[in-house]
Amino acid sequence: MCGIIAVLDQNKKTSKAAVQWGLNVLRHRGPDDNRVWQSPEDEITLGHARLSIIDLSTGDQPIANEDRSLHVVVNGEFYDFERIRVDLEARGHEFRTRSDSEIVLHLYEEFGFECLQYLRGEYSFVLWDDRNKTLFAARDRFGIKPLFYSENNGRLSFASEVKALHASGIEPAWDQEGFLQALTMGVDFDGGTLFRGIRSLLPAHYVVAKNGNISLHQYWQFDYPKEPIHEAFSGQEYAEQFRAVLDEAVRVRLRADVPVACYLSGGIDSCSVLALAASHSGSPVRTFTLAFDHEDYDEACIAEEMAKLVDADRTVIPVTQAGLAQDFSDAVWHAESLFVNAHGVAKFALSRAVQNAGYKVVLTGEGSDEILAGYPHFRMDMYRQCGGSGATDVQQALVHSNPVSRGFLLPDGSVRVLPLFAERLGYVPAYIETRETIVQKLSQAVSSSFQTDDVYTSLLDYLDVSNQMTGRHVLNQSLYLWNKTVLPGYILTVLGDRMEMSHSVEGRLPFLDHHVVEFTRTLPVTQKIHGTTEKFILREALKPMLPSAVYTREKHPFATPPVLLNEDEPLYQILQDTLRGNALNRIPFLNKKAV
């Protein structure tokens, strides 16, 4: 993983110094090397801050092809690259490095923009084709790695983080539409950001810029099958197939020229990844676990049971309200987005502990809930639509058994009727209901012209309801909605890349290997939610490798104890000082009195 920046300037006025300023802001993403290249005609400038993980000696970037007609900067990892490299060499391509990143140059030479179909991993990149005077930039299928861009007066700029674009010369300012989207939905969902003039390249999309024309293209979709989905195999056969495809995703993510560790909580996701990683390792795997000072949120004891089962080395990082307060502003600076809980700050502390222990790479369990319906609101949606006569009782039991999720991932109390969703989807997603109370805090100037239904209309248009949701099972509709919004906009940002890379740590996500996702999307929904049990196929597939406490445990969302539980703690004081002080005056969209 690295930090990248690129500027294509039709006016040929971009200085290498301006790009270097932006690159310097990304040094936390790549402390091992820092380079800028500018084309002889000055129209394109590429910058790369490197975190050395594969090919420690020759993998510095930007990388050029044989005749230097192509140059590329890459952030991320391409898995199974050795096999692809052998095939490309058989086709006559000559490699300058031993890096995984170089394959994209030669795949592009062979297949053009279709090269994306051959890439497996977590990545964003910018490639310059000098012969055709074409810029080609792309982002991975799920948005694991970030890529932001801005276009103004003939200058097209890309960077791994917004702050790098600002440092390279783009004036920072709030974007009202982006802010209201994030406030309403918890995320910006259609490429907008909190910052005026800066957009996020959507997952599974690429940009082509040539002769002053810029076009955006999609190269992959979730494509959940339409109903009915028949059970083609027995439960045991499904479990064996899933374990095989997940095991392969874990195995290829252990490939590195530096040691690889695992994040470990008490949840089945990280425990499953650790179990499979340990099965491929000849020595104990190093694990890192957060421990909270509140029993409803702490999973350290269950994580310890899992670590002992596979003889893993264990590091526990205590998290207190005082520690969260100390790290809060740094975490926000790195995230460049809104937090709904201090869990992002806890992940900031977690990645710091990984860095301090001398590790650059960790395997994580993110993505499992998104592909296997782990969160309780997925079960709520399914029970409401398909639960039959006992659905109300089951829903009440769900709310009762998930106190941490109430008002956070499950509706808490009554909300207004939302006919837009009922009309377009045939149901109202439970997650949407959790967002309804937040907009009561808008300023008079904004609320007089702002309607949440406008955001919901934009959301439904963005989701491509007719081609991706209509005719699908309600559970797959809810998964699609979440995976197109909260997964890239929040989970993979606040709980993923931005907090990990704040301390130069590369997170690798086996559950979001596209082979795994494409397998799970075709599963009967009963393999995802079986009765009242979520992530059923994962439980059955990994049952022999897990402690019974992990196998039977209901989903517990990763969250820190709420700030309001203890008024004597420093984080509570930060909350009060921020919301009652002058800082809130700099956010022009909020009603300070209501807040």
Side-chain angles (χ1 to χ4, degrees), residues 354-368:
V354 172
Q355 182 189 53
N356 290 341
Y359 284 81
K360 293 182 176 182
V361 182
V362 291
L363 302 188
T364 85
E366 265 76 43
S368 174

Side-chain angles (χ1 to χ4, degrees), residues 320-583:
T320 64
Q321 295 281 303
L324 293 172
Q326 183 175 350
D327 291 333
F328 191 83
S329 62
D330 286 342
V332 171
W333 185 83
H334 281 284
E336 301 177 335
S337 59
L338 306 186
F339 286 10
V340 301
N341 179 267
H343 48 196
V345 190
K347 289 294 288 283
F348 178 85
L350 179 61
S351 68
R352 180 175 57 215
V354 172
Q355 182 189 53
N356 290 341
Y359 284 81
K360 293 182 176 182
V361 182
V362 291
L363 302 188
T364 85
E366 265 76 43
S368 174
D369 293 306
E370 283 70 25
I371 65 173
L372 297 174
Y375 296 117
H377 58 83
F378 292 132
R379 278 171 283 163
M380 179 75 79
D381 290 339
M382 189 167 171
Y383 299 155
R384 284 174 171 177
Q385 294 297 105
C386 313
S389 58
T392 301
D393 293 339
V394 174
Q395 291 177 60
Q396 291 176 349
L398 180 65
V399 172
H400 178 74
S401 63
N402 287 271
V404 174
S405 296
R406 286 200 295 268
F408 177 39
L409 292 171
L410 282 173
D412 188 14
S414 61
V415 297
R416 69 183 179 94
V417 176
L418 298 171
L420 275 173
F421 290 92
E423 292 169 5
R424 296 277 296 272
L425 302 182
Y427 78 108
V428 180
Y431 172 70
I432 299 296
E433 295 181 357
T434 68
R435 305 302 308 168
E436 271 293 284
T437 59
I438 199 74
V439 295
Q440 299 170 7
K441 308 300 184 290
L442 294 176
S443 67
Q444 180 64 37
V446 173
S447 61
S448 62
S449 60
F450 171 74
Q451 299 294 324
T452 55
D453 284 354
D454 294 337
V455 175
Y456 293 152
T457 298
S458 297
L459 170 66
L460 289 166
D461 291 341
Y462 161 69
L463 290 173
D464 190 11
V465 172
S466 61
N467 292 315
Q468 290 294 317
M469 301 183 77
T470 301
R472 276 71 174 185
H473 191 280
V474 64
L475 178 60
N476 286 335
Q477 291 190 55
S478 293
L479 287 169
Y480 174 78
L481 185 156
W482 184 265
N483 290 335
K484 292 286 285 185
T485 56
V486 182
L487 174 63
Y490 195 89
I491 303 295
L492 299 176
T493 299
V494 171
L495 301 180
D497 171 87
R498 309 305 280 281
M499 294 303 101
E500 287 151 2
M501 291 301 290
S502 67
H503 292 103
S504 311
V505 174
E506 172 179 294
R508 297 181 173 183
L509 290 71
F511 284 104
L512 291 183
D513 185 292
H514 75 275
H515 296 292
V516 175
V517 176
E518 288 171 357
F519 175 84
T520 60
R521 72 183 177 188
T522 62
L523 288 172
V525 295
T526 52
Q527 290 296 318
K528 300 172 184 176
I529 296 178
H530 191 83
T532 58
T533 301
E534 81 281 2
K535 293 187 283 195
F536 178 74
I537 192 173
L538 176 61
R539 296 177 190 275
E540 298 309 303
L542 274 295
K543 183 177 181 179
M545 306 174 76
L546 300 173
S548 59
V550 173
Y551 170 75
T552 58
R553 188 170 183 250
E554 188 173 2
K555 168 65 185 177
H556 186 285
F558 172 61
T560 59
V563 178
L564 299 177
L565 290 180
N566 194 331
E567 298 182 6
D568 296 326
E569 293 286 357
L571 191 57
Y572 180 88
Q573 296 304 318
I574 287 179
L575 174 72
Q576 293 295 333
D577 292 346
T578 301
L579 299 187
R580 298 183 187 280
N582 291 327

Side-chain angles (χ1 to χ4, degrees), residues 229-247:
I229 305 172
H230 301 291
E231 296 205 12
F233 304 97
S234 68
Q236 181 178 349
E237 289 172 321
Y238 274 124
E240 290 173 353
Q241 292 170 12
F242 179 72
R243 183 169 60 245
V245 72
L246 181 61
D247 183 65

